[in-house]
């Protein structure tokens, strides 16, 4: 599989099959899955907890650490797709719709190089 | 766009373009993105915080609430893809590899209808 | 030590001493501590991830599981106090001030038995 | 109230009274409170999401931002105490016991200036 040749639907099917084979939909209530997502996101954060922002950009230089972090990211995304399966919503639609909303909220001219309004800028401003 | 006809690569490009247009890669260090992921996961949890597990399954009955939760899920997944972009890793590969590992860790026969070993079962056991 | 005879200041001193002895204030920037707090909160959630809301009330019936969860709660609170130390703020003041604000936001008459406004009620309403 | 003159028990009573007056113990199952804790921890993280580690140390220079972050920290700690109330455990005992355990796990000589074993050090090592 590769991102260029794999549809969201195919990844969702992979997750669905895994869950169905174990009869785990009984555990996959949205409330529980939202907790699972947050837990996996925290496990991903652990890899960056005590290091500097710039140092975190160099994670790919260390293949073992990269592999460990990527596993956590895979967990986050898998639970996200599992939740999409339970809610029966289209992920591509949802992301596209949200990006259109985000584009209106953060116009390019106003937010180029800035992540928030003036008063939300770095403390050093 | 729909999940059946959209590749992971296409979604990643959508995110990449949004970030590049705003010159936001300077903020998208892995450390910051892991925080963003966890923050969006928490915003998703808010929708389920005080309700019962079974009640959470009925979210789709309320279109407004479903739409609000789906926006948060879109945010979680978008930041996940943004992190994959920064780390330059293949999401489909990563998820497939992790599912193979999970399948070995949770054999179907042993875990059907059970989310953990006997001593990790519900307290009521 | 017991909650009836221990001041917040005494607990904060316990944390401060531990951190100083290891020269760990260099890691205890507010950004890092906020991540640590969220990570420990997630480890606490793990104990409740797949069980029902009502089942979670019975955790104290299982001493081993209670002890494990309480350790995570201790971690959450310790990092919270470590952050108060770094920011040099008074925790008792902050909690009292927030409870006064909360009391105004959630008047007793309006919120007795309800955690949110009518339209934030359980989906079953 | 001030940290030097306030016991943990007194803060716990403040929270307990607030919850009892609103008949909110019905919502305060450990599972729900663990989610609330994680959600408030995420709201605290939002204040540090996009800024550098060192910049985050200067939060107290900006009184408005400090006040906003401190409110989130008060929420985290309040939910932590609410959970202690529900589980009926002693927080001072739990923190002291955990710090003794931590002291054995992280001996001063070995961990002075280091947050983890050699192979957990900064990526730059």
């Amino acid at each position: 599989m590769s991102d260029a040749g794999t549809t969201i639907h195919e990844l969702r099917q992979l997750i669905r099959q895994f869950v169905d084979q174990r009869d785990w939909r009984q555990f996959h209530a949205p409330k529980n899955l939202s907790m699972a997502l947050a837990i996996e996101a925290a496990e991903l954060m652990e890899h960056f907890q005590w290091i500097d922002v710039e140092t975190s950009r160099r994670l790919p230089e260390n293949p073992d650490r990269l592999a460990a972090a990527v596993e956590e990211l895979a967990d986050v995304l898998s639970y996200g797709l599992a939740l999409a399966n339970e809610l029966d919503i289209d992920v591509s639609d949802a992301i596209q719709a949200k990006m259109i909303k985000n584009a209106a909220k953060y116009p390019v001219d106003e937010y180029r190089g800035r992540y928030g309004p003036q008063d939300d800028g770095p403390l050093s401003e």
Side-chain angles (χ1 to χ4, degrees), chain A:
Chain A
M1 298 180 94
S2 83
D3 287 348
T6 307
T7 64
I8 311 294
H9 179 74
E10 288 167 321
L11 281 189
R12 288 178 64 159
Q13 283 300 106
L14 190 67
I15 308 294
R16 191 190 300 270
Q17 186 181 24
F18 184 89
V19 172
D20 282 348
Q21 284 171 341
R22 283 155 191 80
D23 192 17
W24 276 1
R25 285 195 62 191
Q26 61 187 299
F27 304 122
H28 277 208
K31 178 167 177 137
N32 294 353
L33 287 175
S34 75
M35 294 174 82
L37 250 180
I39 289 166
E40 298 300 337
E43 292 183 5
L44 180 59
M45 277 203 297
E46 277 192 68
H47 294 271
F48 307 112
Q49 184 174 11
W50 303 117
I51 63 177
D52 280 338
V53 169
E54 287 311 311
T55 306
S56 79
R57 293 192 196 267
R58 286 160 40 212
L59 184 72
E61 295 174 16
N62 186 320
D64 288 349
R65 290 188 185 182
L66 177 63
V70 165
E71 276 202 20
E72 305 298 354
L73 178 54
D75 285 338
V76 169
L77 293 170
S78 297
Y79 276 124
L81 296 177
L83 181 52
N85 284 344
E86 290 305 318
L87 296 177
D88 199 19
I89 56 109
D90 192 276
V91 161
S92 306
D93 256 3
I95 290 180
Q96 192 182 34
K98 190 62 197 292
M99 294 311 283
I100 289 169
K101 206 167 169 175
N102 282 342
K105 185 175 173 187
Y106 301 104
V108 167
D109 285 351
E110 198 178 337
Y111 284 93
R112 191 178 290 115
R114 296 172 55 245
Y115 64 88
Q118 197 75 18
D119 58 351
D120 280 337
L123 293 166
S124 53
E125 280 186 5

